[in-house]
Amino acid sequence: MATYRNGTPLLDADGSVVHCHGAGVLLHDGWYYLFGEDRRGDNRVSCYRSKDLVSWEFRNTVLTLAAKTARHYVRTDLHLAGRGLRHDGLPEVGPRGANIERPKVLYCEKTGKFVMWMHFENGRDYNAARCAVAVCDTVDGDYTYLGSFNPVGNMSRDCTLFKDDDGTAYFISSSRDNADMIIYRLSDDYLSVDEQVKTLWPGQYREAPVLFKRGGRYFMLTSECTGWNPNQGGYAVARSIDGRWSSIRPFGGPTTFNTQPTAVAEAGGSLLYIGDRWDPSDYFNSRIIILPLSFPDEDVCEVEWADEVDISPEGVKTSSQEKALVRIMLHDKTNYVASDGYNVFAGRLGYANKSLLWRREDADGGFVLRHAESGRCLSGDGIMAEYSADEPRLVWRADAFEKSGLLINQYSGKSFMVFGRRVVLADPDERFGGYRLVTDY
Ligand code: GAL
């Protein structure tokens, strides 16, 4: 049995952090192969393998800027992709190379080759919005880069691959500046797009797609578009991949337990959700979260938080302790209420950033928010104070406000407002604000 404690760094057999984000999982010859983003130096895609999804062995950096290229597509330039003019028209200082995200790999029975699809950007901005393809004779060898392109002329950013039971493969990616999610059927060698077969949820701005099949149903997980900040995940279901899909239903909590979908893998008779817990303030501090999926009905997919996941061939077990810590996420979804113990300010999400952590305690008809580090409490004057049982300045209540909430001070009647990175207190009817209390999973 292998036990994974969610939220801790995933380590390989040498005790090194697994650098593999936006990853995909391929089951091959009894091994799970994990392919993901590796942003160190000239590395682009790394590959690890495991028997249980918990203990990982590093295999190879399967795509680097120095990858061998073959010209299946016209644009095969990886290393020099960053060279050119900057936004301000000045020359770029040295090439930085392509930015490769969300690599996924499938095995093609027909050709006996492993085929990788990924999101390609030039390393300076996100305007190229292309997909790219690489291929290899062995699962974890050095992949040959075949070039990048816009599928059927479309923009293509967050992406995934899916192989159906009959061997037909599909590439799925966010298009039209992420407004639409498009499904493409691939050619039988998996190297090209055969046809655009479906445009999903036009105008609904989804990304981070993951497609899997269970009991004759196709399920697609996606996220909203808030960069590396977490948001409410969603799933949809269909009986045929290019047929009618359901509308998007909520998946996980308001921040999908601080994750964004990247893969689903089957182990111990369960389907397991694999999500990235990005750390936007320190990418290399990002984590990988593994949670079992459940299906209370054939068309319904659910996920619950678990501190620990035990995976064995006999089954998957979870265990959790109740958590009391919350983060106060402001309405703009990028800022959180932070404190140094004396002042209150808007902090950026960072999982190691303890200044964002609060403990919610019931008090006098409402609750106080005690700063986890300093032990001082948030007052209605926007400063921090020592707690005393009958101190009305420290007592808050929560009010519903559109899709988020208002945190109203019982004493001053003031509520949070956020201007960029500043948090100020104002009358609630000014309603620029809004927040969510996000349990710190
Ligand atoms: C996310 C996306 C990630 C990465 C990130 C960059 O929305 O899902 O793969 O592109 O933005 O900010």
Side-chain angles (χ1 to χ4, degrees):
M1 183 176 72
T3 302
Y4 181 48
R5 189 160 182 80
N6 277 313
T8 58
L10 190 59
L11 303 176
D12 69 11
D14 300 332
S16 310
V17 172
V18 170
H19 287 280
C20 215
H21 295 291
V25 178
L26 175 71
L27 187 58
H28 180 72
D29 273 351
W31 290 95
Y32 296 101
Y33 286 87
L34 189 72
F35 296 87
E37 297 166 17
D38 179 346
R39 297 179 183 240
R40 293 170 299 167
D42 285 357
N43 293 1
R44 286 302 179 266
V45 180
S46 61
C47 174
Y48 294 77
R49 74 175 183 183
S50 170
K51 284 281 182 191
D52 51 26
L53 295 172
V54 174
S55 315
W56 293 96
E57 174 198 346
F58 172 71
R59 298 295 294 167
N60 188 19
T61 309
V62 291
L63 192 81
T64 70
L65 290 184
K68 211 163 69 178
T69 59
R71 208 156 179 265
H72 187 71
Y73 294 99
V74 176
R75 295 157 165 155
T76 51
D77 204 349
L78 260 178
H79 190 60
L80 300 180
R83 191 181 267 168
L85 294 182
R86 297 190 323 205
H87 293 307
D88 53 13
L90 294 171
E92 182 79 6
V93 187
R96 274 186 291 170
N99 179 20
I100 297 296
E101 295 187 347
R102 296 186 178 272
K104 313 285 174 211
V105 173
L106 290 182
Y107 175 65
C108 180
E109 267 91 10
K110 179 159 189 267
T111 60
K113 292 188 191 291
F114 296 86
V115 183
M116 180 188 300
W117 284 66
M118 64 206 107
H119 172 195
F120 168 99
E121 296 290 356
N122 64 14
R124 289 195 313 272
D125 54 41
Y126 277 77
N127 297 335
R130 294 184 213 151
C131 57
V133 185
V135 69
C136 193
D137 291 337
T138 56
V139 62
D140 50 11
D142 296 337
Y143 278 64
T144 301
Y145 186 68
L146 301 183
S148 67
F149 67 108
N150 294 100
V152 199
N154 295 321
M155 295 172 86
S156 179
R157 291 202 180 112
D158 277 15
C159 61
T160 195
L161 284 176
F162 171 72
K163 188 203 265 192
D164 212 339
D165 303 333
D166 65 357
T168 308
Y170 297 86
F171 175 70
I172 300 102
S173 70
S174 302
S175 185
R176 202 160 63 90
D177 262 326
N178 303 340
D180 310 340
M181 187 63 73
I182 297 185
I183 304 179
Y184 305 89
R185 191 180 54 240
L186 299 186
S187 55
D188 58 3
D189 60 7
Y190 299 178
L191 299 182
S192 317
V193 164
D194 185 24
E195 194 182 346
Q196 177 173 337
V197 294
K198 191 78 189 171
T199 302
L200 285 171
W201 316 299
Q204 291 192 43
Y205 290 89
R206 308 299 300 182
E207 50 182 21
V210 174
L211 183 49
F212 63 95
K213 195 174 182 183
R214 179 188 179 273
R217 301 285 192 277
Y218 298 84
F219 288 89
M220 196 186 301
L221 309 178
T222 54
S223 71
E224 293 174 11
C225 300
T226 53
W228 281 324
N229 291 288
N231 56 54
Q232 170 73 65
Y235 80 94
V237 60
R239 283 163 197 237
S240 75
I241 200 164
D242 53 1
R244 263 179 189 268
W245 281 78
S246 72
S247 56
I248 297 162
R249 308 159 179 172
F251 174 77
T255 63
T256 327
F257 313 119
N258 291 332
T259 69
Q260 193 184 23
T262 193
V264 164
E266 187 168 359
S270 292
L271 287 168
L272 292 146
Y273 164 75
I274 302 177
D276 290 295
R277 176 171 285 184
W278 303 110
D279 189 335
S281 61
D282 177 6
Y283 175 89
F284 293 104
N285 190 37
S286 299
R287 304 275 199 255
I288 294 169
I289 302 294
I290 303 176
L291 299 168
L293 294 172
S294 60
F295 298 86
D297 183 85
E298 56 187 359
D299 287 325
V300 178
C301 173
E302 289 180 354
V303 64
E304 276 179 25
W305 175 255
D307 289 348
E308 282 188 355
V309 186
D310 295 332
I311 302 173
S312 74
E314 291 74 49
V316 175
K317 291 201 199 106
T318 61
S319 58
S320 284
Q321 287 185 341
E322 215 182 310
K323 288 283 169 82
L325 292 180
V326 294
R327 290 185 169 91
I328 308 172
M329 180 169 86
L330 293 167
H331 193 53
D332 66 358
K333 295 183 179 170
T334 57
N335 287 307
Y336 290 72
V337 177
S339 174
D340 55 11
Y342 296 92
N343 300 300
V344 179
F345 48 89
R348 301 290 278 192
L349 180 65
Y351 289 99
N353 185 351
K354 295 226 167 41
S355 73
L356 302 178
L357 292 177
W358 304 85
R359 193 175 296 280
R360 182 185 155 138
E361 294 171 13
D362 289 341
D364 200 18
F367 52 83
V368 295
L369 286 157
R370 187 190 291 281
H371 192 236
E373 267 206 315
S374 66
R376 291 160 71 88
C377 291
L378 184 60
S379 91
D381 313 327
I383 54 166
M384 303 292 292
E386 294 294 341
Y387 178 70
S388 78
D390 56 1
E391 174 55 273
R393 288 184 311 154
L394 305 182
V395 181
W396 297 81
R397 71 184 155 82
D399 252 17
F401 169 55
E402 292 185 356
K403 276 169 103 179
S404 66
L406 283 176
L407 195 58
I408 298 176
N409 188 260
Q410 298 277 57
Y411 177 73
S412 66
K414 304 268 187 205
S415 178
F416 283 126
M417 289 195 344
V418 51
F419 293 108
R421 302 191 71 163
R422 266 192 327 129
V423 174
V424 293
L425 288 161
D427 290 332
D429 50 11
E430 296 198 28
R431 299 216 155 177
F432 284 103
Y435 79 100
R436 279 176 189 166
L437 287 183
V438 181
T439 308
D440 180 48
Y441 295 103

